[in-house]
Amino acid sequence: MVSIFSAPLATPAQLSSSPSQQSGIPEPLEQKLNLVACRLIQAAGILMELPQPTISTAIILLQRFYLLAPISTSPLLPTSLASLYLSSKLTEHPQKPRDIINIFKYLLSPASPLHPPHLRHASAAGPSKLRNTSNKNLYYVSEGDYTALRSLLLATEARILRTLGFNTTVHLPYTLAFNYLQSLGVLSSSRSDDPSNSNAQKEGEEGGLYTPLQHDKLVSTTFAYLTDLLASPSRVYLTHHPHEIAVAGIYIAARDHGVKLPMQWWEVWDVDRETLGFLMVVIRAGTYNGDTSSDGNGNGNGGGKIWIVEEGAFEDIDGGMVVAIGRESVEKEAEKLRNS
Amino acid sequence: MGRWDTTTAEDAAEAARRKAEKEAKKAQKLERQRKAEEEAAAAARRRQDEDHARSLSVSDEPPSKRRKVSTEPDDGAATSTPTGKGSTAVNGGEKDTTETRPLRFPAPQIKPSNSVDDYEPLNRIEEGSYGVVSRARHIATGEIVALKKLKLEAETDGFPITSLREIQTLMAARHPNVVNLREVVVGEQLNQVYIVMDFIEHDLKTLLDDMPEPFLQSEIKTLMIQLLSATATIHSNWIMHRDLKTSNLLMNNRGQIKVADFGLARYFGDPCLPLTQLVVTLWYRSPELLLGAQKYGTAIDIWSIGCIFAELILKEPLFQGKSEIDQLSKIFELMGVPTDEEWPAWRRLPNSKSLRFPRTKQTTGHLLRSKFPLLTTNGVSLLSGLLSLDPAKRITAEDALKHPYFKDDPKPKSEAMFPTFPSKAGQEKRRRLSPSAPIRGDAPQLFGEVGLAGRSGLFAGMEDEEVGGGFSLKVH
């Protein structure tokens, strides 16, 4: 019964000494790469039509792994591939390595919406100036590349498992948040327990605290915050239990929608004021500086776009940024940051 | 948890506070007495004296601290506070009523696997199709453990999903009657992975084979309670074991059985999804699985428990089918042919179309009464509940634990009163019973895993195979 509240968490010592930083990757760069890994896995998961729990599990596994292994020896791409592959098995939605590799190839190709627009033309036309490869390899995985990537993926999976001590228990806050919302009585004004029917049932009925449309919004806003928190630089999924994250998501979503909740309701689920306050700050801080559009508030638009390439230069453009995940590019950027 | 009903929480806290106050008073009284007394030589002696003195001196209120022999249900944590520390307990109690304190949940650390070099190998116990089990000693502590090496050499898709499930479910299913997973250790090569579990001396299958007399009714009750409570916990954690059988039930010399081998276990959901029906060793496989049901639930484990219950009484497996068809007919022989009233959904199962059974008064209804003449009425009632043909009507582990059978005389035997047995796995390799370990295709009539590999066709033409062997003795 209690087991769903006892997923592994990082210790303060682990949080203060990042192996990536020790191996010469400055903290801002590590945060950027963490954010980009979340974006990539999320995008790949959506394209593969995987459920959000599978995607979230992959991201949490990746974050736990980088708590103990440096990015310099375990590059971002194979680790992202392996995390998603592993979580697809753990959540009983197994995927083929081939499909995952193909999807990531697309996401890093010039055709991808994640590709920086100012580079798209240059990359697509003629041999790339960034890489001495022929153009066609930008779009598909050759047989040789596939074999190499596949064995890299499987080796990385084994490495993730042994680094985590084979404890792959991941508990997500989504179902808890949904249960809590139901218990708070803000999802339905009548006795109906099934929120999927609530739209039909509530029509014409006198609404209680809330109208049906807003019920759905409250749930989806809560879930959006929970998913956003995955990409937070504070990595709260490594430091906080799912019930605490669930309560924080509900708190802020309810405030967004102007829903009144009982006094100190969070205490019912064993969350104290300090924890909730801290998570509020984390949520409000968003995922990275200059990116205000992703905190779910809708204020702030334009800037904050993140573009991802495999190898290339790190750039800041128009309030957005270009991040390269390849080993060489990361090393080059780390060196640049260390020298400046 | 537990804060849903604030009034009960407050009541409990209030009760605890009052109890603690009494404790404090008594502690002071005792303190005075003790000072008067001569110092006893041994600490144990003194505690006894105190108990005596207290029972003599206290007349106005019931003694709140007694010897462990008396079981007072309401004497919870409060009485366990040692005398003399009562005053601190009072403070704690009062604080609790004024201010809420959120529960803190434990979190295991994120840490890498240890090396297999931490263990010194002793002897090989058993080799199965998906691993080798050996006895080993933890060098740092000297503790004896069972080490199961996973067979990963042939894996082409990375770490197998079944092994992921095995480790995940074993980690989640913590229970005194489930074998304890200590850790997962690794060798230098990426494909060297070992599951470390407590070493348990016996397995129930070998014990049953070697015992001159079957277990007593009182012993069977204890074993069944242990098995059912472990299964209830597993099921409430949304896990199905899918391979319960006597050779997967380990037993130590302290009268405890431990459910082992979660190699086929997995999480399930509600509503259930289509799952593979080629699970559970044939002799313990439920009729809905044999009839090809793709959607099944925890009832398949309950059927296996029914078979185990019967086996504990009979000292031999209840339904020893040679093939899936033979297994079904053996089941229907004893439990009766399914009728539409008894099991409304059975006609819709894939394999039921090909079956024709005479449905007369003689063939319907079970014959457990005559098969188990010495079993009490409640015993027969429990067995028929566990072996109900319709999975929807099969008793749950939770309900089975409340069955009157366990309240009848003879009462369940205390674990400490169980006899001990010489260990088969302790020193030498376990004796192998006729056809050896479940190497794929070797004993296909018994092992669902063979079917998992898409070899269900092998079940055909196995009628001539020898009956009764094929069990591998698993210690893990």
Side-chain angles (χ1 to χ4, degrees):
Chain A
M1 185 72 167
V2 172
S3 72
I4 64 158
F5 296 103
S6 59
L9 292 183
T11 61
Q14 284 173 335
L15 288 167
S16 61
S17 69
S18 146
S20 295
Q21 287 173 37
Q22 279 169 357
S23 74
I25 292 180
E27 192 182 354
L29 179 56
E30 191 194 7
Q31 286 187 354
K32 271 184 196 173
L33 291 171
N34 177 43
L35 173 62
V36 161
C38 294
R39 287 285 160 91
L40 267 181
I41 293 174
Q42 183 74 41
I46 290 170
L47 288 179
M48 299 181 82
E49 300 179 356
L50 289 170
Q52 186 61 42
T54 304
I55 304 171
S56 302
T57 301
I59 293 171
I60 294 169
L61 290 176
L62 176 124
Q63 290 180 348
R64 285 188 193 164
F65 175 69
Y66 278 136
L67 204 57
L68 299 167
I71 294 178
S72 45
T73 56
S74 306
L76 208 63
L77 181 59
T79 309
S80 306
L81 289 169
S83 304
L84 191 57
Y85 181 58
L86 180 57
S87 87
S88 77
K89 285 196 268 190
L90 288 168
T91 55
E92 302 289 347
H93 289 90
Q95 300 294 313
K96 292 193 195 84
R98 173 101 233 181
D99 293 345
I100 296 180
I101 289 170
N102 282 350
I103 292 276
F104 273 81
K105 182 72 188 182
Y106 162 73
L107 286 173
L108 295 169
S109 77
S112 158
L114 298 176
H115 201 77
H118 68 287
L119 294 179
R120 194 167 292 154
H121 185 71
S123 324
S128 166
K129 282 171 194 158
L130 302 166
R131 304 163 6 131
N132 271 338
T133 52
S134 118
N135 199 11
K136 61 179 184 178
N137 276 345
L138 292 172
Y139 295 98
Y140 81 102
V141 188
S142 72
E143 202 56 38
D145 281 357
Y146 166 68
T147 314
L149 258 179
R150 185 179 195 279
S151 51
L152 187 57
L153 186 162
L154 297 182
T156 311
E157 180 197 39
R159 215 164 281 130
I160 293 176
L161 279 171
R162 49 176 60 205
T163 303
L164 302 183
F166 287 82
N167 190 347
T168 51
T169 319
V170 173
H171 294 300
L172 297 169
Y174 300 101
T175 34
L176 283 178
F178 195 80
N179 285 339
Y180 293 176
L181 281 168
Q182 281 182 316
S183 318
L184 286 166
V186 290
L187 287 190
S188 54
S189 47
S190 75
R191 295 257 163 216
S192 159
D193 282 322
D194 188 354
S196 62
N197 294 338
S198 62
N199 274 344
Q201 284 179 4
K202 298 294 148 40
E203 264 172 13
E205 247 177 67
E206 197 183 333
L209 198 55
Y210 224 37
T211 63
L213 191 63
Q214 284 170 310
H215 297 158
D216 291 351
K217 270 191 183 162
L218 187 58
V219 176
S220 58
T221 309
T222 305
F223 281 16
Y225 279 122
L226 299 181
T227 305
D228 267 5
L229 272 175
L230 285 166
S232 137
S234 304
R235 293 176 296 173
V236 287
Y237 279 81
L238 297 184
T239 56
H240 286 73
H241 285 292
H243 68 282
E244 295 167 332
I245 297 173
V247 162
I250 293 172
Y251 181 88
I252 204 150
R255 253 196 7 196
D256 285 355
H257 291 280
V259 180
K260 284 235 159 60
L261 296 174
M263 283 281 285
Q264 301 200 311
W265 56 274
W266 50 86
E267 286 183 352
V268 176
W269 291 294
D270 296 299
V271 177
D272 58 34
R273 205 184 180 82
E274 288 72 34
T275 310
L276 186 57
F278 171 77
L279 290 170
M280 280 315 99
V281 174
V282 171
I283 292 179
R284 285 294 181 219
T287 48
Y288 96 98
N289 295 339
D291 179 2
T292 44
S293 61
S294 66
D295 70 359
N297 247 357
N299 50 27
N301 42 21
K305 190 101 177 86
I306 298 166
W307 290 290
I308 307 168
V309 292
E310 198 171 347
E311 298 284 358
F314 284 70
E315 296 178 74
D316 285 317
I317 38 161
D318 301 336
M321 61 176 176
V322 181
V323 178
I325 61 166
R327 194 180 200 149
E328 283 169 38
S329 310
V330 169
E331 265 169 30
K332 220 178 276 173
E333 177 72 7
E335 211 181 313
K336 203 177 92 188
L337 286 172
R338 278 200 302 272
N339 294 335
S340 67
Chain B
M1 310 304 290
R3 288 180 186 277
W4 294 95
D5 197 345
T6 45
T7 57
T8 52
E10 274 169 17
D11 287 352
E14 179 65 14
R17 193 183 59 80
R18 260 185 267 132
K19 194 123 254 167
E21 257 172 9
K22 275 186 193 172
E23 270 291 299
K25 268 187 221 154
K26 191 174 321 297
Q28 284 165 359
K29 207 188 273 181
L30 269 170
E31 202 66 47
R32 267 178 267 130
Q33 269 186 359
R34 187 172 15 187
K35 274 176 185 156
E37 270 174 19
E38 285 289 318
E39 276 226 331
R45 272 292 293 278
R46 178 200 287 196
R47 206 168 301 137
Q48 262 190 342
D49 289 344
E50 277 177 32
D51 272 349
H52 275 297
R54 194 182 316 145
S55 55
L56 290 173
S57 68
V58 177
S59 53
D60 50 338
E61 51 187 0
S64 67
K65 187 179 180 184
R66 293 182 189 163
R67 305 272 268 302
K68 275 275 149 70
V69 200
S70 67
T71 49
E72 263 180 342
D74 56 336
D75 261 11
T79 41
S80 66
T81 51
T83 49
K85 284 186 182 166
S87 53
T88 55
V90 173
N91 288 343
E94 272 170 355
K95 203 176 167 198
D96 242 341
T97 53
T98 51
E99 160 191 327
T100 57
R101 244 187 297 156
L103 272 179
R104 290 277 162 246
F105 298 103
Q109 264 192 45
I110 303 169
K111 54 172 191 277
S113 289
N114 290 320
S115 163
V116 71
D117 297 338
D118 291 358
Y119 294 88
E120 174 194 349
L122 296 175
N123 59 299
R124 190 170 279 204
I125 300 166
E126 187 250 337
E127 178 160 1
S129 64
Y130 43 84
V132 180
V133 185
S134 38
R135 217 163 60 97
R137 181 168 56 224
H138 189 229
I139 294 168
T141 61
E143 287 169 317
I144 302 295
V145 299
L147 210 59
K148 176 177 178 178
K149 183 179 193 296
L150 299 177
K151 273 194 180 158
L152 302 176
E153 291 81 8
E155 289 303 330
T156 52
D157 291 319
F159 201 73
I161 191 165
T162 48
S163 299
L164 284 174
R165 288 175 184 157
E166 178 173 7
I167 294 169
Q168 269 200 317
T169 49
L170 260 177
M171 276 184 182
R174 297 281 184 203
H175 187 275
N177 296 113
V178 173
V179 69
N180 178 35
L181 171 75
R182 289 164 166 252
E183 60 177 328
V184 181
V185 294
V186 293
E188 255 167 50
Q189 303 291 315
L190 282 181
N191 60 14
Q192 290 173 326
V193 178
Y194 309 78
I195 302 180
V196 186
M197 284 164 287
D198 287 351
F199 174 74
I200 314 285
E201 293 88 345
H202 316 280
D203 71 87
L204 214 48
K205 173 71 186 160
T206 325
L207 276 187
L208 283 170
D209 287 343
D210 291 354
M211 287 165 77
E213 296 292 325
F215 282 113
L216 300 171
Q217 271 299 312
S218 59
E219 293 169 341
I220 292 176
K221 279 183 193 177
T222 306
L223 297 181
M224 283 300 289
I225 288 173
Q226 295 179 3
L227 174 58
L228 284 167
S229 81
T231 311
T233 300
I234 294 172
H235 288 175
S236 71
N237 277 299
W238 299 94
I239 297 166
M240 279 190 272
H241 185 280
R242 303 202 298 182
D243 198 17
L244 288 175
K245 55 180 173 180
T246 44
S247 55
N248 278 344
L249 299 179
L250 309 181
M251 187 162 179
N252 63 19
N253 277 328
R254 293 177 298 284
Q256 286 178 322
I257 54 168
K258 310 263 183 184
V259 179
D261 197 345
F262 280 60
L264 285 176
R266 66 163 286 164
Y267 283 100
F268 64 95
D270 183 17
C272 53
L273 300 164
L275 307 170
T276 173
Q277 67 267 45
L278 289 155
V279 288
V280 190
T281 302
L282 181 62
W283 292 351
Y284 303 86
R285 203 179 296 162
S286 65
E288 71 267 24
L289 286 172
L290 290 163
L291 289 171
Q294 288 203 320
K295 294 190 171 183
Y296 54 82
T298 52
I300 65 160
D301 282 343
I302 301 298
W303 176 273
S304 307
I305 292 176
C307 296
I308 292 167
F309 183 25
E311 188 172 339
L312 290 174
I313 302 168
L314 297 171
K315 233 165 111 354
E316 64 164 6
L318 178 63
F319 304 118
Q320 306 184 30
K322 294 168 195 154
S323 64
E324 292 183 333
I325 294 292
D326 189 41
Q327 184 72 20
L328 263 183
S329 63
K330 285 204 157 64
I331 290 172
F332 292 155
E333 236 168 69
L334 183 66
M335 302 309 297
V337 173
T339 60
D340 292 340
E341 301 84 62
E342 210 176 86
W343 186 3
W346 92 283
R347 276 279 160 215
R348 288 197 291 277
L349 294 176
N351 299 350
S352 65
K353 310 278 183 296
S354 51
L355 295 175
R356 291 207 185 279
F357 289 109
R359 259 189 300 283
T360 62
K361 276 245 158 58
Q362 282 83 41
T363 59
T364 57
H366 67 76
L367 306 170
L368 292 175
R369 192 67 277 177
S370 51
K371 175 98 179 168
F372 299 91
L374 297 177
L375 194 58
T376 60
T377 313
N378 275 333
V380 171
S381 144
L382 174 61
L383 186 56
S384 71
L386 295 167
L387 293 178
S388 158
L389 289 178
D390 184 353
K393 290 182 187 150
R394 218 169 285 155
I395 194 168
T396 63
E398 199 79 36
D399 289 341
L401 280 170
K402 297 177 201 138
H403 198 278
Y405 169 69
F406 296 112
K407 300 200 178 64
D408 283 352
D409 283 326
K411 295 275 187 281
K413 195 175 196 170
S414 144
E415 285 170 10
M417 302 298 286
F418 265 70
T420 59
F421 312 92
S423 173
K424 277 279 183 293
Q427 289 312 313
E428 81 277 17
K429 208 167 169 174
R430 285 201 177 174
R431 183 167 53 90
R432 191 75 30 77
L433 295 164
S434 39
S436 58
I439 298 158
R440 293 198 165 164
D442 200 46
Q445 79 276 31
L446 290 178
F447 287 91
E449 298 93 292
V450 175
L452 282 177
R455 294 210 198 170
S456 52
L458 280 171
F459 287 115
M462 296 310 287
E463 278 79 1
D464 299 329
E465 277 263 4
E466 204 184 331
V467 190
F471 279 96
S472 67
L473 313 175
K474 295 182 179 175
V475 177
H476 41 75

